[in-house]
Amino acid sequence: MIVENEKIPFDINAIRAEFPVLKQKIYGKDLIYFDNGATSQKPQVVLDAINKYYSQENSNIHRGVHHLSQVATSHYEEARTIIQKYINAPLQEEVLFNSGTTAGINMVAFCFGELLTEGDEIVISAMEHHSNIVPWQMLCERKKCILKVIPMTKKGELEMDVFDNLLSNKTKLVAVSHISNSLGTINPIEEIIEKAHDIGAKVLIDGAQSIQHMKVDVQALDCDFYAFSGHKVFGPTGVGVLYGKKEILDSMPPYQGGGDMISKVTFEKTTYNTLPHKFEAGTPHIAGGICLGTAIEYLSKLDIDAIQKHEYELAQYAEQELLNIDGLRIIGTAKNKTSVVSFVIEGIHPFDIGTLLDKQGIAVRTGHHCTQPVMSFFEIPGTIRASFAFYNTKNEIDIFIKAVNRSLEMLR
Ligand SMILES: *Cc1c(COP(=O)(O)O)cnc(C)c1O
């Protein structure tokens, strides 16, 4: 039995044993999964929870008087509480379930966007994922607002002095990623939040790449919104969370209309439900929410500082070994970065390397990683990206380096 706050010591073999997918062979080779930035693998507890939900608890929530509905409802709400505690949100109702980071950002862009007027400004950064660019462009078109972009340096670090100049009393929201999915840069979000608040703007943090790698405390950060995806934090796809401060969520109009988000409906007038239900119209991904709770509970029992250190060492080691390869260039060399190593090799298309690595059982991602402006900035078509999770090992990196070299022998 695990006593609360007692962490399981970081034991890589024990951890790997929890992830059945890692035991597979791909083309006769041990799978090396270095595509964690795209999605993470799932531990046995999460797989068991999915099975248990559908085999013993399946029911709709928040409406049935019968036993199963009450069980499902209480497990769904318990998951919300687990997540609330994990990110240290003050209130349970500030944790909104949705389908993922994309859904969370779009919801804020629409609903917070409804409070904006012509000429108001939104600030994003040069290294955002498309899902933290396009919703703001759509909002700007709809409400005649203006989108400003914090530029970055060739190292992939935000130009913070330019940020200072972008802020004005017209700035209503700053939306930035905590960690860049294509460069691995850890952005100085504490400073961004403080400066934005100084001029009265709200801040949304795209946490899709941070919650699985480091401790996130939304109260310590004082961010106004924090969005993340279940599937990148060892939970199911199709479920995610948006944290928002209650007073701001209360001030925003609802997103979608439908069941669960209402208090009373007549044909003359409908009144809306309280938080979190106001923003959760319709039957949600019940199994997803419950099992995301299981994933976060699993993560909360691990030592996140040890995880962060392990992943940092993996990324450092991978970079050091990759740099021995002729013509190889690391894209994203920020001082403060983690878990992602993006690179290009002179004269070689990333896709060709990715394909040859796959044949050797190694999963990496190649392409623009949903950050086309980042690729344009570096004047490259895309990168080869190895992104690590805590279940990856140094030994896997050694095999990966040999495989990159072997692939180059074939291509050169
Ligand atoms: C993956 C990712 C997203 C989008 O997440 P979805 O799960 O596809 O909604 C947004 N931002 C960053 C930084 C990401 O890595």
Side-chain angles (χ1 to χ4, degrees):
M1 221 194 95
I2 289 157
V3 185
E4 205 168 351
N5 293 328
E6 189 184 315
K7 303 290 181 188
I8 303 170
F10 189 79
D11 173 348
I12 188 75
N13 292 324
I15 282 169
R16 287 182 67 82
E18 295 290 332
F19 290 82
V21 83
L22 300 177
K23 293 172 193 140
Q24 270 182 96
K25 296 215 184 280
I26 304 286
Y27 305 115
K29 303 271 191 325
D30 288 333
L31 166 67
I32 293 181
Y33 187 76
F34 283 173
D35 195 17
N36 296 285
T39 199
S40 63
Q41 300 300 346
K42 321 301 170 201
Q44 190 64 49
V45 279
V46 170
L47 303 176
D48 290 346
I50 294 169
N51 192 15
K52 179 161 178 256
Y53 173 76
Y54 283 117
S55 52
Q56 296 172 25
E57 300 169 359
N58 178 50
S59 190
N60 212 327
I61 55 170
H62 298 147
R63 48 201 97 188
V65 293
H66 61 80
H67 178 76
L68 282 188
S69 176
Q70 289 176 14
V71 169
T73 302
S74 78
H75 287 178
Y76 193 70
E77 293 307 321
E78 277 162 26
R80 200 191 300 274
T81 307
I82 291 168
I83 295 161
Q84 176 211 345
K85 292 204 171 121
Y86 193 70
I87 62 172
N88 196 29
L91 302 168
Q92 205 230 20
E93 70 231 51
E94 295 177 315
V95 174
L96 310 180
F97 280 121
N98 53 32
S99 65
T101 309
T102 303
I105 297 172
N106 274 278
M107 187 280 244
V108 176
F110 186 84
C111 303
F112 185 80
E114 278 298 281
L115 309 174
L116 304 188
T117 51
E118 185 171 344
D120 283 345
E121 296 178 0
I122 315 281
V123 175
I124 61 171
S125 93
M127 64 177 81
E128 296 311 312
H129 188 283
H130 295 163
S131 68
N132 199 28
I133 301 175
V134 185
W136 307 116
Q137 291 174 326
M138 291 162 71
L139 163 63
C140 287
E141 200 156 304
R142 188 164 56 90
K143 297 289 261 185
K144 300 194 170 57
C145 296
I146 296 155
L147 190 64
K148 301 228 158 156
V149 183
I150 315 167
M152 64 176 163
T153 65
K154 286 286 175 194
K155 286 183 149 180
E157 290 174 338
L158 295 182
E159 294 194 40
M160 292 301 287
D161 46 340
V162 181
F163 173 60
D164 293 344
N165 295 330
L166 292 180
L167 292 174
S168 75
N169 60 3
K170 292 210 162 303
T171 316
K172 294 295 179 264
L173 187 92
V174 178
V176 289
S177 52
H178 195 171
I179 297 182
S180 153
N181 67 307
S182 52
L183 304 171
T185 309
I186 305 173
N187 285 316
I189 58 167
E190 295 81 359
E191 187 185 339
I192 290 173
I193 292 166
E194 205 181 313
K195 286 183 166 160
H197 283 173
D198 281 349
I199 52 106
K202 306 296 183 208
V203 181
L204 177 142
I205 300 299
D206 173 350
Q209 296 291 341
S210 62
I211 189 161
Q212 63 277 50
H213 298 301
M214 59 167 68
K215 180 84 199 111
V216 170
D217 179 333
V218 294
Q219 284 191 71
L221 287 171
D222 197 28
C223 55
D224 301 287
F225 302 101
Y226 181 93
F228 68 94
S229 297
H231 70 100
K232 290 183 181 173
V233 62
F234 319 109
T237 48
V239 68
V241 165
L242 176 76
Y243 157 78
K245 283 184 183 164
K246 179 174 159 53
E247 59 182 65
I248 306 174
L249 292 175
D250 277 335
S251 74
M252 288 159 44
Y255 191 30
Q256 294 177 313
D260 235 22
M261 57 75 73
I262 52 87
S263 167
K264 186 169 171 35
V265 177
T266 67
F267 286 116
E268 288 71 41
K269 178 161 178 60
T270 289
T271 52
Y272 304 128
N273 205 340
T274 50
L275 293 174
H277 311 294
K278 175 178 150 189
F279 292 106
E280 294 182 351
T283 300
H285 185 356
I286 304 168
I290 292 174
C291 299
L292 175 54
T294 310
I296 295 288
E297 192 170 36
Y298 167 78
L299 193 57
S300 73
K301 289 174 183 168
L302 300 171
D303 181 346
I304 190 79
D305 296 330
I307 286 178
Q308 199 178 347
K309 181 164 171 284
H310 175 71
E311 292 174 345
Y312 176 78
E313 285 168 4
L314 289 179
Q316 289 284 306
Y317 181 64
E319 279 197 18
Q320 170 203 314
E321 294 300 305
L322 282 169
L323 285 171
N324 292 328
I325 295 172
D326 256 6
L328 186 142
R329 183 157 64 102
I330 306 278
I331 303 296
T333 48
K335 206 163 129 246
N336 203 5
K337 66 177 279 194
T338 190
S339 61
V340 168
V341 180
S342 251
F343 58 95
V344 291
I345 302 172
E346 216 180 303
I348 308 279
H349 199 281
F351 181 81
D352 294 336
I353 292 272
T355 307
L356 291 171
L357 288 175
D358 173 53
K359 293 287 180 284
Q360 300 169 77
I362 301 170
V364 293
R365 184 154 174 203
T366 62
H368 56 66
H369 319 294
C370 297
T371 55
Q372 284 178 3
V374 173
M375 301 303 130
S376 314
F377 176 78
F378 286 101
E379 296 176 342
I380 50 177
T383 72
I384 304 148
R385 181 186 71 179
S387 53
F388 309 112
F390 60 90
Y391 41 66
N392 291 126
T393 66
K394 228 172 139 183
N395 183 45
E396 288 181 316
I397 291 173
D398 288 333
I399 299 169
F400 164 68
I401 299 291
K402 282 197 194 108
V404 173
N405 278 313
R406 198 172 305 136
S407 310
L408 285 176
E409 280 161 25
M410 291 180 215
L411 292 168
R412 272 174 170 161

